[in-house]
Amino acid sequence: MKLTRPARRASLVVHVIASAGWLGLTLGLLALGITAATSGSAVTVEASVRAMKLFADWLLLPLAFLTLLSGVLLSVGTPWGLARHRWVWTKFWLTLGTTTATVFALRPAVNSAVAAVAAGGPLPDTGDVLFGPIVSLSAYVFMTVISVLKPWGLTRRGRRLRETVAGRRAQRREEALVSPTSAA
């Protein structure tokens, strides 16, 4: 499936906005997590983890899924392909991994922090509010860098596809040289 130019451009805009939103949201979560982990004020800790929960519940998953879906659409609808270039393949797996970690690690950790603080206790573990945003931010920065630099070349599948296309082109050229019109 090849996307038309307007569809490709629209998909790219959606992907960049969703990705930048996810990156920015993660920076915000990290700032809130640092505030919760370093503040001596119970009110500030509670406000920070509640804000983290609000962002994690309402914004994080929609942005994660929109980034994942728009990235897959772009990869299968353009010559980059999903598994043709190592940098695209790496981004796919990192996006899938960070989305999964958001669902099964970051959100539950924030929820447990909110529950503990709302019950009047201290922040149970600073890692609950710091680890997820740090790992996510590192992954998103890395994915942004490889999106710009496009390192590593083709995958095995990409090399096979390129060889197949090159072989077909050579065969067409050969057939054109030996066509019935040139024999007359």
Side-chain angles (χ1 to χ4, degrees), residues 32-83:
L32 288 167
I34 290 170
T35 301
T38 60
S39 177
S41 164
V43 173
T44 303
V45 171
E46 185 172 0
S48 295
V49 295
R50 284 187 183 274
M52 287 181 79
K53 180 173 174 32
L54 181 70
F55 290 144
D57 286 349
W58 289 98
L59 295 174
L60 206 53
L61 286 179
L63 284 173
F65 286 123
L66 187 56
T67 300
L68 181 63
L69 293 174
S70 62
V72 168
L73 177 65
L74 277 169
S75 65
V76 299
T78 63
W80 289 110
L82 182 60

